Amino acid sequence: GNSVTQMEGPVTLSEEAFLTINCTYTATGYPSLFWYVQYPGEGLQLLLKATKADDKGSNKGFEATYRKETTSFHLEKGSVQVSDSAVYFCALRYNQAGTALIFGKGTTLSVSS
Amino acid sequence: GAVVSQHPSWVICKSGTSVKIECRSLDFQATTMFWYRQFPKQSLMLMATSNEGSKATYEQGVEKDKFLINHASLTLSTLTVTSAHPEDSSFYICSGNGYTFGSGTRLTVV
């Protein structure tokens, strides 16, 4: 079946460090891929998305490229800030009406100053 | 962009009572609304899919009589947790249009 696998956390970094959170997926066809961020006690915010192979989604310094050959959508940021501390979820969804997102387990990022 | 408004943000109720959670799509029509549940430090699990004007579709293992979903209009879907018990305490979150989420509801049953 369709699934999303994220690297286990927590990820602990110092401010201005480089961030990579790995995400791979299993799916048939061509789903869209997403990264969401959840700050403590809050709902989910869409961080970025990509709808087809080789697309790069980017937002707030974060970026991820849809790699069909490796079925991956790794999240990267060149220089993290303390305010980036949150839980990050990778997800996929087929572009059909009435289709729900399938989430990975989430990766907790903690950035210290 | 698309906005989903979810209320209440948090609620504490006594065991045996019912709680209603509302999700409204503010600037788009949500033919379909998804309801998720999230336990502490875990991922989101899809509970049910509600379609405007028809019965909701529940995921395996979700009690449809306990989690009543109503989607009477294109902009409003509600989840009612009936006869709530402490094990129903969780974070509930809705999603309209497939990828826009409400802010979530923290339910604590005491």
Side-chain angles (χ1 to χ4, degrees):
Chain A
N2 303 319
S3 65
V4 176
T5 302
Q6 286 181 240
M7 62 185 289
E8 293 287 331
V11 174
T12 303
L13 296 172
S14 298
E15 206 166 23
E16 299 184 3
F18 184 85
L19 168 71
T20 299
I21 300 179
N22 290 337
C23 171
T24 57
Y25 67 92
T26 300
T28 55
Y30 304 95
S32 293
L33 302 175
F34 303 80
W35 275 101
Y36 282 86
V37 58
Q38 184 177 35
Y39 298 100
E42 297 185 12
L44 270 71
Q45 298 177 28
L46 177 62
L47 183 59
L48 54 84
K49 67 177 182 179
T51 58
K52 60 183 187 296
D54 299 326
D55 266 3
K56 177 186 284 188
S58 61
N59 185 27
K60 299 180 181 179
F62 291 90
E63 58 181 37
T65 301
Y66 189 142
R67 301 286 189 199
K68 194 171 189 325
E69 63 275 13
T70 55
T71 62
S72 65
F73 193 54
H74 304 322
L75 182 68
E76 296 182 335
K77 186 175 185 182
S79 176
V80 294
Q81 305 300 311
V82 172
S83 57
D84 293 326
S85 298
V87 180
Y88 292 81
F89 291 95
C90 185
L92 70 81
R93 176 178 177 266
Y94 288 97
N95 298 321
Q96 295 173 320
T99 306
L101 283 157
I102 298 171
F103 286 92
K105 292 187 176 182
T107 302
T108 299
L109 170 65
S110 178
V111 181
S112 58
S113 58
Chain B
V3 177
V4 174
S5 175
Q6 183 171 349
H7 294 280
S9 298
W10 58 270
V11 57
I12 301 173
C13 71
K14 291 186 176 181
S15 190
T17 62
S18 295
V19 173
K20 180 184 283 189
I21 301 169
E22 290 189 353
C23 274
R24 295 181 183 272
S25 55
L26 297 186
D27 49 4
F28 67 100
Q29 293 183 330
T31 306
T32 302
M33 195 78 81
F34 302 96
W35 288 93
Y36 294 83
R37 182 174 183 176
Q38 185 182 32
F39 289 105
K41 300 187 185 301
Q42 296 190 24
S43 188
L44 284 81
M45 299 302 296
L46 180 66
M47 297 176 64
T49 302
S50 73
N51 297 294
E52 187 267 336
S54 64
K55 290 184 178 180
T57 303
Y58 291 81
E59 296 300 301
Q60 192 172 10
V62 177
E63 299 176 61
K64 60 183 67 177
D65 293 332
K66 166 168 275 296
F67 299 101
L68 299 180
I69 290 173
N70 184 281
H71 195 159
S73 78
L74 287 171
T75 58
L76 174 63
S77 178
T78 61
L79 167 67
T80 301
V81 184
T82 63
S83 187
H85 291 285
E87 57 266 30
D88 298 323
S89 298
S90 190
F91 188 69
Y92 294 88
I93 191 165
C94 62
S95 169
N97 79 3
Y99 55 85
T100 301
F101 285 82
S103 55
T105 298
R106 172 75 57 195
L107 170 63
T108 302
V109 184
V110 298

